[in-house]
Amino acid sequence: MKYFSRPPRESAESAYLAESCGRHYEPFGMLSLGDTTVLGTDGVVLERICGEMLAIHPESAAWAFLNEEESRWFQQANGKSFAWLRHHLSPDDPDGALDFTAQLYRRGLLTLDGQAAVDRRMFAEGPNYDEGNLIELLITEKCNLACPYCLAGASSSMPAMDRNIARKTVDLAFAMQESDTLAFEFAGGEPFLKYELMKETVEYIRSHPMRGHRRLFISTQTNATLLTEERVRWLKDEDIRVGISLDGGAQRQNMSRPQVNGKESFSKMARGIDLLHRFGVPFGGLVVLNRSNVDDPAALAATMLDFGIYGFRLNPVAYLGDARKNWERVGLGQDEIIGFIKRLMDHIVAQRLPLLEDNVRSMCDFLTSKQRRTRCMRTHCGAGDTFQAIAANGDIYPCGRATQSPGLKLGNIFDSGLQSLSQPSRHHEIMQQIRERRPADLEGCSTCSYRQLCQSGCSAQAWERYGTVRHRTPECAFYKTLYPYLMHWLSSDAMAFDHLNACNYFNNEGQRFSRDFAVAQDEVVTT
């Protein structure tokens, strides 16, 4: 049997899930089994991955790899007694059968007298995680760059927020009482085109009379080309989290992210990044993977390290915003995206690079946790309820990916009777469909073994591509390929697992488990 896990996370989740979510989760503890204890394997699927057998329960996302002999006995175990398994699996090692049974039970792959250690409805009602409220302010939809895939459709002719819109948005955000945490993100367009308004709005947020004891987080996503010493000092003094949008080295950056006048942007971006380093402002990177930079993952890795960026997220170009009209120029197939990710991760491990790619980190999290912390990689994303994006004119959308989809507009902050940002979504037909969206109800997802790992993905992208949220994500092949790839690779390759663990893909608390509980008689066992 082989798998990887995070025992400290499992221990913390065991108590949290029971108390906060009403979900039974018992990943640890001794078992006392009698000969008459009945074994159950209902719901577990066996799939051959890279020549090995993966046992997975699609609803609880429980999984482990079994060797040929283990999988043979597992397939016959349903309804049998523990005495039967002990006699056949390891007649010369009674403790081996007990340990094998305990591992399967704790992993959620075996029931004992009908009892499961992992709730089979673990993900039925939500992400099992209180993430607070996120409010994205498109403080301007103007931009000094002309990215051909811009999610917001930004350009120099687009609108920008004024003081009244920004303050009204903040007031309505604080009027939400659903959470003790509020996170504000300034985005665009390029938010530093409205630096003075951003400064004023941050001050308003920090001193808001309705703040109370709520925790506040403030962040911004910028292309870094307009950063100055004054602005970087302000970011540091205000403890604002920073994300830098970049697409690679000079050639790729200038092709993918030129200035609106057609000139290069790389030198301006590099100067902004240097300022962040000089003043000690931590930041991460956001890379849009598109036609201009998909050819060389090693070059992208080198660029990240050259800039002192050790954590970044690859966002494959989505069929949203300006990318719709430029798809032939920027668009990628799922096979190209998957190939890039695999080559990048192989390169990171082979060269022992200290790089954290956040999509893979999120997938590792989903494989070792019963919580779903990354909004856009799950069907219970909170769109409209715990996440709102406010356009520069005050229009309310359920998330940042929806602002170029008129059918997903929820209203405007100045609508009569509006009392909070979460109010417009409560009776909105499409938002109700998103709340009710379940992998088991969608064609192609209901029979997929990985349905509770990807949870059918992004509703906004499904809406944009297919005209309905009742459809699996266009990135289906991405998840359906990479999840089993990561399971097998990191279960089998100790060096790869140890390196990624050291680079915080598992918060440096990951462990691999590998033990053969049963070996075919014609196999040679070495120690």
Side-chain angles (χ1 to χ4, degrees):
M1 184 186 300
K2 295 187 298 188
Y3 63 84
F4 52 85
S5 63
R6 277 186 294 170
R9 169 64 68 83
E10 292 175 344
S11 179
E13 288 184 345
S14 179
Y16 175 84
L17 291 171
E19 180 179 347
S20 301
C21 308
R23 294 284 179 254
H24 177 69
Y25 185 40
E26 190 182 0
F28 302 109
M30 299 295 293
L31 288 183
S32 178
L33 294 175
D35 283 350
T36 59
T37 299
V38 178
L39 313 178
T41 63
D42 284 343
V44 178
V45 175
L46 293 175
E47 291 192 357
R48 192 165 293 280
I49 306 295
C50 299
E52 299 191 53
M53 195 65 75
L54 172 69
I56 183 169
H57 193 288
E59 279 303 295
S60 67
W63 65 276
F65 282 95
L66 306 179
N67 68 30
E68 292 294 334
E69 194 71 0
E70 291 166 349
S71 64
R72 184 164 74 91
W73 293 117
F74 181 82
Q75 290 179 75
Q76 300 178 54
N78 194 43
K80 302 292 199 311
S81 69
F82 174 66
W84 172 88
L85 180 66
R86 184 181 60 200
H87 174 75
H88 289 89
L89 181 73
S90 53
D92 299 326
D93 180 16
D95 288 342
L98 177 61
D99 291 345
F100 180 64
T101 302
Q103 287 288 338
L104 288 171
Y105 175 73
R106 297 300 180 197
R107 290 294 292 168
L109 296 169
L110 193 70
T111 60
L112 302 177
D113 287 334
Q115 299 298 310
V118 181
D119 198 319
R120 297 297 171 90
R121 291 182 53 79
M122 181 62 71
F123 304 106
E125 299 303 327
N128 299 329
Y129 177 60
D130 180 11
E131 58 209 342
N133 287 91
L134 171 61
I135 303 95
E136 183 175 335
L137 292 89
L138 302 186
I139 198 162
T140 177
E141 295 175 53
K142 299 178 185 292
C143 193
N144 61 323
L145 301 187
C147 308
Y149 51 71
C150 182
L151 197 66
S155 73
S156 58
S157 63
M158 294 289 280
M161 274 190 184
D162 61 28
R163 184 173 182 265
N164 292 333
I165 293 175
R167 288 199 167 208
K168 180 68 171 179
T169 297
V170 173
D171 291 341
L172 291 170
F174 276 104
M176 294 188 291
Q177 299 297 318
E178 296 91 339
S179 174
D180 292 332
T181 301
L182 285 177
F184 293 89
E185 177 177 329
F186 293 94
E190 171 46 50
F192 277 95
L193 287 169
K194 296 289 286 184
Y195 171 57
E196 294 300 328
L197 179 59
M198 189 159 52
K199 279 201 307 181
E200 179 184 330
T201 306
V202 168
E203 181 179 350
Y204 188 64
I205 290 169
R206 297 240 188 255
S207 60
H208 200 278
M210 294 177 66
R211 174 178 177 176
H213 297 290
R214 281 186 279 192
R215 295 183 300 165
L216 292 181
F217 297 95
I218 301 178
S219 63
T220 186
Q221 187 69 36
T222 173
N223 60 40
T225 62
L226 301 179
L227 293 180
T228 63
E229 288 191 10
E230 176 198 339
R231 295 174 178 189
V232 171
R233 283 196 188 98
W234 174 75
L235 289 169
K236 185 175 179 63
D237 291 344
E238 291 292 337
D239 189 27
I240 294 176
R241 300 178 178 187
V242 180
I244 301 299
S245 301
L246 73 165
D247 285 353
Q251 180 180 359
R252 292 172 176 84
Q253 169 77 8
N254 294 332
M255 180 186 302
S256 187
R257 304 176 63 79
Q259 295 187 66
V260 291
N261 59 12
K263 294 183 178 180
E264 61 89 21
S265 66
F266 182 83
S267 63
K268 293 179 178 292
M269 177 195 68
R271 188 161 53 249
I273 289 176
D274 180 64
L275 283 170
L276 292 170
H277 282 304
R278 282 170 49 197
F279 287 90
V281 177
F283 62 94
L286 177 65
V287 176
V288 176
L289 188 64
N290 66 91
R291 182 64 53 201
S292 71
N293 60 5
V294 74
D295 60 322
D296 194 345
L300 178 63
T303 298
M304 292 294 142
L305 293 174
D306 288 345
F307 278 128
I309 299 174
Y310 301 102
F312 67 100
R313 185 175 186 86
L314 276 174
N315 272 358
V317 60
Y319 191 75
L320 298 168
D322 286 344
R324 290 174 293 193
K325 63 185 179 185
N326 295 314
W327 193 250
E328 292 300 318
R329 174 181 167 192
V330 300
L332 298 172
Q334 291 299 300
D335 56 337
E336 294 174 288
I337 298 167
I338 292 165
F340 184 93
I341 293 281
K342 286 184 176 182
R343 296 196 309 274
L344 174 66
M345 296 310 300
D346 285 344
H347 180 68
I348 287 172
V349 169
Q351 300 300 315
R352 313 292 288 174
L353 303 180
L355 285 172
L356 177 72
E357 196 288 307
D358 196 54
N359 279 296
V360 175
R361 184 210 58 79
S362 292
M363 297 176 87
C364 289
D365 185 62
F366 280 27
L367 287 168
T368 55
S369 170
K370 299 307 179 188
Q371 296 179 301
R372 297 293 178 252
R373 295 169 179 253
T374 305
R375 293 176 185 269
C376 295
M377 295 175 70
R378 65 177 202 241
T379 194
H380 304 282
C381 60
D385 295 329
T386 62
F387 186 10
Q388 297 88 23
I390 312 304
N393 65 356
D395 285 343
I396 304 170
Y397 291 88
C399 71
R401 288 191 167 190
T403 58
Q404 294 301 299
S405 298
L408 297 180
K409 177 183 169 182
L410 303 179
N412 188 277
I413 60 171
F414 294 110
D415 287 346
S416 176
L418 186 63
Q419 297 178 346
S420 76
L421 283 183
S422 55
Q423 181 183 341
S425 75
R426 292 173 191 163
H427 305 292
H428 193 282
E429 180 182 359
I430 297 174
M431 295 303 101
Q432 186 62 29
Q433 291 175 12
I434 290 176
R435 290 186 200 100
E436 296 172 353
R437 187 172 180 252
R438 299 292 186 272
D441 298 332
L442 302 182
E443 182 180 357
C445 297
S446 60
T447 57
C448 177
S449 297
Y450 313 106
R451 59 180 177 262
Q452 293 298 359
L453 290 169
C454 83
Q455 296 198 317
S456 305
C458 175
S459 300
Q461 284 191 246
W463 169 269
E464 188 64 31
R465 183 60 68 91
Y466 307 113
T468 176
V469 300
R470 298 185 187 278
H471 199 289
R472 56 185 167 172
T473 177
E475 298 172 335
C476 175
F478 175 86
Y479 296 119
K480 202 169 184 176
T481 302
L482 285 180
Y483 271 116
Y485 165 76
L486 290 171
M487 288 180 192
H488 184 265
W489 180 39
L490 298 178
S491 293
S492 305
D493 190 329
M495 185 187 79
F497 181 86
D498 290 345
H499 179 67
L500 297 192
N501 192 32
C503 291
N504 285 320
Y505 286 79
F506 302 96
N507 292 335
N508 210 21
E509 60 187 20
Q511 292 185 11
R512 288 177 65 251
F513 179 88
S514 181
R515 177 180 171 185
D516 287 328
F517 290 98
V519 182
Q521 293 187 8
D522 59 348
E523 293 184 30
V524 177
V525 180
T526 60
T527 59

